[in-house]
Amino acid sequence: MKKILALSSALILLCGCSAEPEVASPETNRLFSADAVVCTAQTEISATVKRLGNNMWCAEITAPESLAGITLNYSADEITATYHGMSFTLDKENAPQANLLGAIFDAIDDSALLTEMPCDSEDGVMTFSGQNELGTYEIVTDADGNLSAVNLTDEDITVDFSDFVVIT
C-alpha cells in the first residue's frame, strides 16, 4: 500500500511540473514590405503594407473594391488617408475603423522593442505571445524569421503576410 501511495504521489508531482516556456527574439525590428490579408468577423481587407520605422507604416488597400486605392499612412498619433489625390488626417483615437490596421501595427511595433518574448516553436515556425493595451496577440514568423501572421486574439482578427521583403 505504501508503494502504491508513493508511486501515485510521484506521478502526480511529475505530471504537475511543467517546463519553463521557451523565449526568443521575434526579429520584428526591421523595415519591410509585405502583402497582407486582414480577416475579421465582418470583413476581409487586402493591402500592401510597409513598416518604415517604429510607429511609421504605410498601407495601400487593394481589396475589397470599395476600399481599393486608399492609402493609409500611420505615424505615432495620426492616420493620413489619401484617395485619388485627396487626403485628410485623423487622430488614431478618433478613427476606430481606420485604426484596425493600426492595432496590428502596434502589436508588431511593441514586439520590435523586446529582446525576447515567450514563444512556441515547431519546424522552424515561431509563434510569439504578447500583450499590450489592446489585448493579447500572437506573432508568427516563418523558418527564415520573416513575419507570416499576426493574430489579435481578443479581437478575433487575423492577418496573413506574404511576399515579405526586408527594406534595406
Side-chain angles (χ1 to χ4, degrees):
M1 183 68 163
K2 287 182 183 181
K3 288 182 183 181
I4 293 174
L5 184 59
L7 182 59
S8 297
S9 296
L11 286 174
I12 290 171
L13 286 174
L14 288 174
C15 292
C17 296
S18 62
E20 289 291 316
E22 186 178 345
V23 293
S25 173
E27 306 283 334
T28 54
N29 194 14
R30 53 187 170 168
L31 310 181
F32 64 84
S33 174
D35 291 333
V37 177
V38 181
C39 296
T40 70
Q42 295 83 21
T43 190
E44 182 176 296
I45 298 171
S46 297
T48 299
V49 298
K50 296 177 186 169
R51 184 174 191 264
L52 305 171
N54 198 34
N55 291 316
M56 295 175 54
W57 292 82
C58 177
E60 299 171 15
I61 298 175
T62 56
E65 190 175 325
S66 60
L67 299 176
I70 296 173
T71 299
L72 301 169
N73 290 294
Y74 292 77
S75 64
D77 297 321
E78 296 180 334
I79 303 168
T80 300
T82 305
Y83 183 70
H84 292 294
M86 299 179 291
S87 66
F88 61 93
T89 301
L90 298 168
D91 290 334
K92 282 184 180 178
E93 294 174 3
N94 296 328
Q97 290 294 48
N99 205 19
L100 170 66
L101 290 171
I104 297 153
F105 299 156
D106 287 346
I108 296 168
D109 284 338
D110 288 348
S111 73
L113 300 174
L114 303 174
T115 55
E116 56 184 34
M117 291 177 70
C119 67
D120 293 320
S121 176
E122 186 174 325
D123 298 328
V125 175
M126 306 283 284
T127 302
F128 296 90
S129 301
Q131 187 169 0
N132 60 18
E133 64 278 354
L134 299 171
T136 58
Y137 60 86
E138 294 176 337
I139 294 177
V140 182
T141 59
D142 64 18
D144 295 324
N146 296 327
L147 188 65
S148 62
V150 174
N151 302 309
L152 302 179
T153 53
D154 293 345
E155 302 295 324
D156 197 27
I157 298 170
T158 62
V159 185
D160 291 314
F161 292 95
S162 61
D163 300 322
F164 187 94
V165 177
V166 174
I167 299 172
T168 56

